[in-house]
Amino acid sequence: MSTPNPTPDLPPGMDGVASAGRARLSPMMRLTASHMLASHTQAAHVTIHAEADAGGLLAAHAHWRDAAGGVRVTMTHLIARLCAQALVEHPALNATLVGEEVFTWRDVNLGLATAMANGDLIVPVLKGADRMSVAQMAHAARELVDRTRAGRARLADLRGGTFTLSSIGMYPALRWTTPLLNIPQVAILATGAVHADQFSIGQPVG
């Protein structure tokens, strides 16, 4: 007769190691982990890293800081606006892959990857982002993210995304990231912090 493992619920090979605690994954963390694994195993990821002159972006940020009617415009809002415009010009990226069919969409519904206080990552969707001005986008995005972080996101807030925008700009030491596709979307954009001493000044984003 074999001797039963006295602690059968420990990870393999960890018998005799003192545990400092354990916690069950929340439903959201389980869903996120499942979605990330599916993305990693079901999609062929190709990552392009690039740097861009942020002079025009900084000029636009300075302009809209005083011209948005009391709405605080961040760099992320401006990037979201530029991203939405770019997707109108490049509709092949504003698409989803289902089986052997690619669906392209007239509307740009921009997912905003949002970190929660408990570590969860949720992607609320800014509907019709291509039709918004900078001020409209700043207001709608702030309201959407605030509602999500407060735990009041509606089901409709989390569905219908056609492209996802992520950011590591809050971590200046990180220069590059390799985001996982938010399947079945075909593309994702991750942006970092601004790293430069001098900038060429361009025109504000309209």
Side-chain angles (χ1 to χ4, degrees), residues 70-135:
V71 178
R72 179 170 172 261
V73 175
T74 68
M75 297 283 275
T76 297
H77 298 148
L78 294 173
I79 292 171
R81 163 73 168 159
L82 292 170
C83 182
Q85 291 177 316
L87 289 170
V88 172
E89 298 178 17
H90 303 278
L93 297 177
N94 190 49
T96 55
L97 175 65
V98 181
E100 297 181 353
E101 294 184 306
V102 177
F103 294 79
T104 54
W105 309 105
R106 290 193 181 93
D107 294 336
V108 175
N109 294 340
L110 197 61
L112 304 175
T114 302
M116 305 291 283
N118 63 357
D120 289 345
L121 183 67
I122 300 181
V123 186
V125 178
L126 194 62
K127 306 291 176 59
D130 54 307
R131 299 187 295 274
M132 294 181 182
S133 67
V134 170

Side-chain angles (χ1 to χ4, degrees), residues 49-51 168 171-177 191-193 195-196:
H49 293 146
E51 292 185 346
I168 58 168
Y171 305 112
L174 299 180
R175 299 298 295 256
W176 309 108
T177 184
T191 60
H195 292 276

Side-chain angles (χ1 to χ4, degrees), residues 161-173:
T162 61
F163 188 91
T164 295
L165 176 64
S166 182
S167 174
I168 58 168
M170 68 290 294
Y171 305 112

Side-chain angles (χ1 to χ4, degrees), residues 2-7:
S2 61
T3 302
N5 186 339
T7 52

Side-chain angles (χ1 to χ4, degrees), residues 178-203:
T178 302
L180 289 177
L181 286 172
N182 187 10
I183 58 174
Q185 297 170 18
V186 303
I188 183 172
L189 173 66
T191 60
V194 174
H195 292 276
D197 297 322
Q198 295 181 343
F199 303 97
S200 60
I201 302 302
Q203 295 298 315

